[in-house]
Amino acid sequence: MAEKIVSTGIERLDEALINGEGVVLGSSILIEGSSGSGKELLSKQFASAGVGSETVVYFSTDETSDELIDVFEQYRWATDLRIVNVGTQYFEKVLSRELQASRFKQEGLSVSELRNLGSYGSTSDQINFVADMTYEISKLQSPFRVVIDSLDFFLQYYNPLEVLTAVRTIKEYAQANGGTVMYTISEGAHEHKIHSQLEAICDLVIQLEVGRMAAEFENRLIIKKIRNHPEKAAVMIYAVTDSGLTPEMITRVAVSYTHL
């Protein structure tokens, strides 16, 4: 039975992937890059490509819902998707209460009085956004498309091993239930071991780089890994246009095999 292929929303990138059409339904995709490399824009472009044919859910940790919609509208991308704003929820349910408790403490309230307030103080131990996200995804039915922008939030506030377990669980669910999941992560911000394990779990790994060429900058999209297709490793030069990330040139990376 032929595998179903879904588009990434970027035509030239699709051409460089499976059957010249995109990624296999059920894939987990990791987008790596430094600040300003365009990984957040790529994730929005990917999300918009599923609107109309798939259930699309966008988990945001750094942008407000209004900011997200503004970007979608700026590029004339479809906005009929569900946004789960983890960053806003974390502020409202955890950080704002901790700030309030800190203010009360500075104003001279005792520890016992703080306990009596009940609604204040840290709730981070009671609220697990990793588990909540995994549960929300487990309710989706095929075909679905999920973006988690970004894993940095979860790796900062939760045990990395818990995050890795969640990524594996989501991967298995997507494969079994006809979904595609994209994660973004900052390059060099986490332990190498954790980063390597995330790359091992995901089926497609793309790195975005901003390199300097003399007095100019060059944007590079590197296809580091496509599971079972090492011959498709490639480097693409891209620009940001009115259509979003737009690859302009591709160079295949030679793969050599050493026989021991």
Side-chain angles (χ1 to χ4, degrees):
M1 184 175 179
E3 296 176 310
K4 182 175 181 180
I5 308 297
V6 295
S7 172
T8 63
I10 304 174
E11 184 177 356
R12 292 295 299 276
L13 178 58
D14 287 346
E15 292 171 358
L17 300 176
I18 305 300
N19 296 340
E21 298 175 355
V23 295
V24 176
L25 183 66
S27 295
S28 293
I29 306 166
L30 184 65
I31 306 298
E32 310 170 343
S34 58
S35 177
S37 62
K39 59 184 184 295
E40 298 87 356
L41 187 61
L42 190 156
S43 68
K44 295 177 181 67
Q45 201 164 348
F46 171 80
S48 69
V51 174
S53 58
E54 306 167 40
T55 298
V56 182
V57 184
Y58 195 107
F59 290 86
S60 174
T61 62
D62 295 317
E63 297 175 273
T64 67
S65 298
D66 287 343
E67 288 172 334
L68 280 168
I69 294 300
D70 285 346
V71 174
F72 277 84
E73 291 179 343
Q74 175 187 343
Y75 286 95
R76 298 182 296 280
W77 294 333
T79 58
D80 188 18
L81 73 166
R82 181 184 169 208
I83 297 173
V84 179
N85 205 303
V86 180
T88 299
Q89 291 180 26
Y90 189 80
F91 176 79
E92 292 174 347
K93 296 179 179 181
V94 179
L95 296 182
S96 65
R97 297 183 182 187
E98 292 180 354
L99 287 170
Q100 189 73 297
S102 176
R103 183 175 68 82
F104 285 149
K105 188 173 181 179
Q106 290 296 323
E107 292 175 356
L109 294 182
S110 66
V111 173
S112 61
E113 288 173 316
L114 283 172
R115 290 200 187 101
N116 290 336
L117 288 172
S119 61
Y120 300 108
S122 176
T123 58
S124 57
D125 292 335
Q126 294 89 37
I127 301 173
N128 188 321
F129 287 98
V130 176
D132 288 351
M133 175 182 67
T134 305
Y135 172 69
E136 288 297 323
I137 293 173
S138 74
K139 295 189 296 182
L140 299 175
Q141 297 181 346
S142 179
F144 65 86
R145 181 176 300 223
V146 171
V147 169
I148 299 168
D149 181 28
S150 73
L151 284 176
D152 296 339
F153 169 89
F154 299 101
L155 291 169
Q156 177 181 356
Y157 290 110
Y158 296 94
N159 186 320
L161 296 180
E162 181 181 1
V163 177
L164 286 172
T165 298
V167 171
R168 289 192 180 96
T169 301
I170 293 167
K171 172 188 172 71
E172 294 297 327
Y173 184 80
Q175 286 180 332
N177 294 277
T180 310
V181 184
M182 175 177 284
Y183 306 91
T184 67
I185 190 170
S186 293
E187 187 74 23
H190 310 285
E191 284 187 35
H192 177 72
K193 181 179 178 180
I194 298 299
H195 201 121
S196 295
Q197 288 185 60
L198 286 169
E199 289 186 338
I201 294 169
C202 291
D203 304 292
L204 170 62
V205 179
I206 292 176
Q207 181 179 2
L208 300 182
E209 285 187 351
V210 180
R212 187 159 185 170
M213 303 288 290
E216 299 181 351
F217 289 93
E218 181 179 83
N219 300 318
R220 292 186 288 267
L221 185 156
I222 303 169
I223 302 174
K224 294 177 65 175
K225 168 190 173 183
I226 303 180
R227 192 176 302 281
N228 298 321
H229 290 278
E231 78 283 357
K232 289 189 175 293
V235 178
M236 309 180 78
I237 306 302
Y238 70 91
V240 177
T241 69
D242 291 342
S243 301
L245 261 70
T246 307
E248 300 174 338
M249 185 176 76
I250 181 169
T251 303
R252 289 292 179 192
V253 178
V255 178
S256 61
Y257 297 89
T258 302
H259 300 280
L260 300 179

